[in-house]
Amino acid sequence: MSDNTKIEWADATVNAVNGCSVTSPGCTNCYAMKQAHRFDARRGLTTKTNGGMVWTGEVRLN
């Protein structure tokens, strides 16, 4: 959870759901898929391939 946000109508933000699955060619350009491996809470949600990080299909509710 983040207690600081620049969203005018919100005091805090939280990402309650993490993960995804590749469903279309547009997923190739997914920013979240490329960045998810950087955060401990998202370990195991992506796997490294020759083309970069790819979602494993696992979705977690935090």
Side-chain angles (χ1 to χ4, degrees):
M1 183 170 146
S2 175
D3 289 331
N4 298 321
T5 180
K6 293 182 180 180
I7 301 171
E8 294 176 13
W9 45 267
D11 295 324
T13 60
V14 63
N15 290 331
V17 178
N18 298 117
C20 199
S21 58
V22 178
T23 59
S24 75
C27 295
T28 304
N29 300 315
C30 177
Y31 175 82
M33 182 167 61
K34 293 174 183 166
Q35 297 298 318
H37 71 284
R38 301 177 85 190
F39 302 99
D40 290 339
R42 293 162 180 83
R43 296 240 167 154
L45 297 178
T46 58
T47 185
K48 189 170 185 167
T49 66
N50 289 340
M53 302 308 285
V54 177
W55 291 117
T56 61
E58 181 180 349
V59 177
R60 296 183 193 149
L61 177 62
N62 297 321

